[in-house]
Amino acid sequence: MSALMRVAAEHWQFVSPVLRKPENEADYDALVCGLDELLSLMGEDEDSPLMSLVDIISDWIEAYDHEHRPMPVASGVDVLRYMMREHNLTQSDLPGVGAQSVVSEVLSGKRQLNIRQIRWLAERFGVSVETFI
């Protein structure tokens, strides 16, 4: 056994509670709290030797989220409605899509967004065009 593995084995009882993939919500919550503590400890130092531990824990949290909290699929129109609500916009506030009546038709499903409108919306909200496709 190498010296590094020997030291790791000697300290495993202290490290193992932190290095465990979450199997339930309690494990997940503990891992998130641990990640928060690590990030606070590191501050802005992205070259910290703890960064590899942050990466491992972040990957486990992300995997748990993907498995247990999948993102709902949203259409471009759903995203547009959400963006309008978040930015307190009315249909008239989107001239790049068209007149208020055109925006109304898009929101009601009577008309689909075209590529010109999608590009304008992506630029307007600072997101990728894929957001509205």
Side-chain angles (χ1 to χ4, degrees):
M1 180 182 289
S2 71
L4 182 59
M5 278 301 179
R6 186 170 289 112
V7 170
E10 290 170 5
H11 292 88
W12 186 245
Q13 66 180 338
F14 305 108
V15 177
S16 67
V18 175
L19 286 177
R20 186 170 293 145
K21 288 182 181 181
E23 295 179 12
N24 54 48
E25 288 294 319
D27 292 348
Y28 174 87
D29 292 341
L31 210 53
V32 169
C33 286
L35 179 60
D36 288 342
E37 290 175 19
L38 270 175
L39 292 172
S40 292
L41 181 65
M42 290 173 41
E44 299 295 322
D45 183 11
E46 292 185 16
D47 295 325
S48 168
L50 294 173
M51 196 63 188
S52 60
L53 180 56
V54 167
D55 290 340
I56 292 167
I57 292 174
S58 297
D59 289 346
W60 288 344
I61 289 170
E62 183 178 358
Y64 188 89
D65 280 338
H66 283 301
E67 183 177 343
H68 299 282
R69 299 178 177 129
M71 290 291 291
V73 177
S75 70
V77 172
D78 292 334
V79 173
L80 178 57
R81 278 191 202 101
Y82 173 80
M83 296 291 221
M84 289 175 68
R85 199 171 40 252
E86 286 298 303
H87 294 271
N88 294 317
L89 299 175
T90 66
Q91 294 175 2
S92 300
D93 294 327
L94 301 172
V97 175
Q100 182 274 327
S101 60
V102 172
V103 176
S104 179
E105 288 178 350
V106 167
L107 293 173
S108 70
K110 293 179 183 173
R111 182 185 286 216
Q112 291 191 349
L113 291 167
N114 63 40
I115 193 66
R116 180 194 57 76
Q117 293 165 324
I118 289 171
R119 284 184 180 141
W120 185 88
L121 287 167
E123 186 174 324
R124 164 67 175 82
F125 292 111
V127 297
S128 72
V129 294
E130 289 82 10
T131 303
F132 295 101
I133 295 177

